[in-house]
Amino acid sequence: MTVREVRDILGARVLVGEDHLDREVRSACGSDMMSDVLAFSKDHSILLTGLCNAQVIRTAEMLDIVCLIFVRGKKPDEAMLEMAEERGLIVMATGHRMFSACGMLYSAGLHSGAI
């Protein structure tokens, strides 16, 4: 699945990385606890979170996360968006709650990676 397809499924707004929407994603993780994300599979994944701080960007960079999706209408500040852009991350936002967004992606065929 591509990030563009994920955007369309969730009706998400692209905040950073519009020119990278054709990147492939293989799995997704939904969490507000970065310690849980660190235990997650590390290959071409999407992170769905409601946590809006710089630690999210740093965690994504360490784990080869392709795209961050902020749920529940959360919007990262400009400093976070600049950090993400410098690191080549795609950042999107959706009004869906995390449970709903994860379910929509799962139903569309995007599953979690092996732990």
Side-chain angles (χ1 to χ4, degrees):
M1 181 176 293
T2 66
V3 176
R4 183 179 315 280
E5 292 170 303
V6 170
R7 179 202 62 190
D8 294 345
I9 291 165
L10 298 178
R13 291 174 287 116
V14 178
L15 305 175
V16 169
E18 183 83 38
D19 51 339
H20 301 297
L21 296 180
D22 291 324
R23 287 185 181 167
E24 181 184 347
V25 292
R26 298 182 187 145
S27 59
C29 174
S31 182
D32 288 343
M33 294 181 59
M34 293 304 102
S35 59
D36 285 350
V37 176
L38 288 169
F40 175 68
S41 176
K42 301 167 182 64
D43 66 328
H44 296 85
S45 59
I46 288 176
L47 172 59
L48 295 101
T49 188
L51 184 64
C52 278
N53 65 35
Q55 192 60 35
V56 174
I57 306 293
R58 291 184 190 104
T59 301
E61 181 180 29
M62 288 179 3
L63 299 178
D64 192 28
I65 289 173
V66 173
C67 178
L68 297 172
I69 301 174
F70 291 96
V71 296
R72 300 186 307 272
K74 301 279 183 126
K75 186 175 186 298
D77 63 25
E78 287 303 315
M80 284 181 62
L81 293 175
E82 286 176 21
M83 260 179 92
E85 193 165 32
E86 290 169 1
R87 289 157 174 79
L89 291 171
I90 302 163
V91 178
M92 298 192 287
T94 182
H96 294 288
R97 294 175 186 237
M98 189 180 317
F99 181 81
S100 300
C102 290
M104 294 164 75
L105 294 175
Y106 187 88
S107 293
L110 187 62
H111 300 157
S112 65
I115 294 179

